[in-house]
Amino acid sequence: MEWRQFIYKLIGVSLQNVALSGVASESSQYGGYPRAHFAIDGKKKPSCSHSVYEASPWWRVDLLDVYRVITVNITSRADCCPGRLNGAEIRIGNSLENNGIINTRCGVIYHHLGEETHTFQCNEMEGRYITVVIPGPYKKYLILCEVEVYGLRADTTSPVPSTLPPSTSASKKPDSNSSNILFPLFFNLHSLVHHSPSSPSFSSSFLQFPD
């Protein structure tokens, strides 16, 4: 589990799949039938989005607000052609220029997914649009059976710092600066929980500080 997700789980913050309430579109429609929404219907099979055979096919979801994206999960077609997503890029940002494929890249699919769901860590990249594109001059199909996007609205105060201190060996006593890093983290977590009526009770025993 990615460390940000661990901390969210620790303090009882539930990350929702915000793609479910988004609006999907794609570069083309296989068979002339609109299928883009199949990739955000909450079902990993049997329905999938499907482009025509074309160069640089893309699929995009508009989250309808700006989010700090923690993870993106991609599920490909299970019954056929697992290699069709090789080279696909996940782009996140607020621009619709060139159909959103110029936004910042979160990850690239370099292997056959098969029916597996693969998780990409996007480290709180901000954006309203999530675009999946297979770039290049060669014609390909883009097939996505489910795209899940987990994150927080950008105007939500994050309880998680941008970086964590490196892990310390049990045989090595932490230096005096450790508490300077850990205390603000504890304070942020404690404040978030006690200022949120919906959050579960929080105990300092969740975090153990070095002696």
Side-chain angles (χ1 to χ4, degrees), residues 93-172:
N94 296 313
S95 174
L96 282 177
E97 184 179 348
N98 201 12
N99 300 308
I101 66 177
I102 67 167
N103 287 321
T104 305
R105 188 172 69 186
C106 163
V108 181
I109 299 173
Y110 286 119
H111 59 282
H112 296 186
L113 292 183
E115 60 184 326
E116 133 188 41
T117 297
H118 191 78
T119 298
F120 295 86
Q121 307 294 344
C122 299
N123 302 319
E124 298 198 15
M125 291 172 58
E126 285 196 10
R128 172 174 172 171
Y129 306 106
I130 313 296
T131 304
V132 180
V133 58
I134 305 178
Y138 301 105
K139 292 183 178 181
K140 295 185 178 182
Y141 291 109
L142 176 59
I143 304 173
L144 299 168
C145 291
E146 196 66 21
V147 177
E148 303 164 82
V149 181
Y150 293 90
L152 299 170
R153 279 180 46 170
D155 58 2
T156 304
T157 301
S158 175
V160 182
S162 58
T163 59
L164 283 180
S167 58
T168 304
S169 170
S171 62
K172 180 180 178 182

Side-chain angles (χ1 to χ4, degrees), residues 24-79:
S25 56
E26 57 188 343
S27 56
S28 59
Q29 300 170 352
Y30 183 80
Y33 184 75
R35 302 169 185 265
H37 64 285
F38 285 155
I40 54 170
D41 62 2
K43 303 173 184 177
K44 295 183 179 179
K45 57 182 180 181
S47 56
C48 307
S49 70
H50 199 312
S51 75
V52 301
Y53 193 56
E54 62 181 342
S56 297
W58 57 265
W59 175 95
R60 182 179 66 242
V61 60
D62 178 357
L63 301 178
L64 305 178
D65 207 337
V66 179
Y67 284 82
R68 290 199 307 275
V69 179
I70 311 298
T71 60
V72 174
N73 296 343
I74 301 286
T75 302
S76 65
R77 186 172 172 177
D79 61 334

